Amino acid sequence: MKLTRLIVVALTAAAAIVAAPQAAFAIPSGTGWSGSWKYTGGTNIQVTLDVPGAKLVANGWDALGTRAFVLNVTDTVADGKCAYVKWTAAATTEHWACGSGTTVQVSGLPTSTNAVKAVLCRDSTAHNNKTNCNFIDVPSSYTDEFIRTEGNGAHWKYYDGSEGEDWGGWITIGDVDFDYFGWDDTPSGQRWIQSWLTLLEPTCGSGTILNANPASTLSACSQYDLIDDLPDTHVTGTASGTGCTWSMRGIDPIKHCIKLSVPEPS
């Protein structure tokens, strides 16, 4: 039954992609851009960011919501520029790596119970001309221990034009997957989005595209695997989605949510 639903959704999505007005959409300038965070087992968490010419990999440990990270910042292109990272947790720190293939490792950052925001840019060697900035937000698990469940996380990436969409975003929160994909219409500044919600086990979940026109949200509870697509929509600017999960049982069960923002390349 699950395989049948997967095939139907895949065919429906493929048909919608074929019908999309691709001629109006340019291949995005964001090829090579991506961002992710994920709990990988035990108390381990990894955060990554990429733009052409720069890379961040941050490996962390989460002890009951108190997190510490080691950052690796890499300059990957010999163009006379640097890789730049602004890291905001307990405080904000800045770090640079200059020279193709150069990696700077940063340890000893203060532990934090706060949410983390990482920004990765290209910068001049004088540290005064930051461009191509990409970001990822990692929610705190201090007040919601469910966030640090193995497998929970979010990631997004731009494609090279061969996937049908310009970019994709994926949120995993417990037994709920919320995925959304888009095309960037550069002249008008609108981002056209298709999305769907997958419940993998008996659970409740929801998916929402924020600031969408028309509104795009879906909530469902299921005793079996369920896949459902949300209404097609569009946004202007950053494309943000939220996936949530909660128990099918109990009165007013607590929701656990993850938000993922897909920035516009600059």
Side-chain angles (χ1 to χ4, degrees):
M1 183 65 70
K2 178 180 178 181
L3 178 60
T4 302
R5 282 193 296 275
L6 283 170
I7 292 172
V8 169
V9 170
L11 291 175
T12 302
I17 289 170
V18 170
Q22 290 292 329
F25 299 88
I27 293 176
S29 60
T31 300
W33 288 49
S34 66
S36 72
W37 66 269
K38 184 177 182 179
Y39 280 87
T40 58
T43 60
N44 298 327
I45 180 174
Q46 185 175 77
V47 181
T48 69
L49 280 172
D50 289 278
V51 296
K55 183 176 185 68
L56 164 69
V57 178
N59 292 300
W61 301 265
D62 190 330
L64 301 179
T66 301
R67 298 187 293 205
F69 286 89
V70 174
L71 314 184
N72 289 278
V73 186
T74 304
D75 182 354
T76 62
V77 175
D79 60 358
K81 295 183 179 180
C82 304
Y84 161 82
V85 168
K86 182 167 74 171
W87 182 266
T88 302
T92 297
T93 59
E94 297 178 295
H95 312 279
W96 287 265
C98 301
S100 179
T102 299
T103 297
V104 172
Q105 186 174 91
V106 184
S107 58
L109 293 170
T111 59
S112 176
T113 59
N114 299 340
V116 167
K117 182 169 186 175
V119 180
L120 174 69
C121 306
R122 296 294 284 156
D123 197 4
S124 65
T125 54
H127 300 172
N128 63 358
N129 186 23
K130 298 172 182 61
T131 59
N132 302 117
C133 293
N134 174 7
F135 68 88
I136 192 83
D137 292 305
V138 186
S140 171
S141 71
Y142 187 70
T143 57
D144 186 358
E145 65 180 21
F146 186 80
I147 294 294
R148 55 181 180 268
T149 301
E150 181 178 353
N152 279 356
H155 72 283
W156 66 270
K157 67 174 292 185
Y158 263 82
Y159 301 122
D160 59 7
S162 64
E163 300 291 335
E165 309 92 7
D166 289 340
W167 52 266
W170 301 265
I171 295 171
T172 298
I173 177 76
D175 292 317
V176 176
D177 286 342
F178 178 53
D179 308 328
Y180 56 106
F181 304 87
W183 299 262
D184 288 352
D185 188 353
T186 304
S188 71
Q190 291 186 340
R191 312 180 86 180
W192 298 83
I193 300 172
Q194 294 176 341
S195 55
W196 57 81
L197 179 73
T198 306
L199 308 183
L200 301 172
E201 297 290 343
T203 191
C204 295
S206 67
T208 301
I209 301 296
L210 305 180
N211 303 317
N213 184 17
S216 181
T217 188
L218 174 69
S219 294
C221 293
S222 180
Q223 294 283 359
Y224 55 88
D225 296 356
L226 173 68
I227 299 174
D228 207 346
D229 56 334
L230 281 71
D232 293 353
T233 188
H234 69 267
V235 300
T236 300
T238 299
S240 297
T242 299
C244 298
T245 185
W246 62 96
S247 173
M248 296 182 66
R249 301 171 181 84
I251 300 174
D252 296 326
I254 297 173
K255 286 188 177 182
H256 310 280
C257 299
I258 287 175
K259 178 182 176 181
L260 175 64
S261 296
V262 181
E264 288 186 294
S266 59

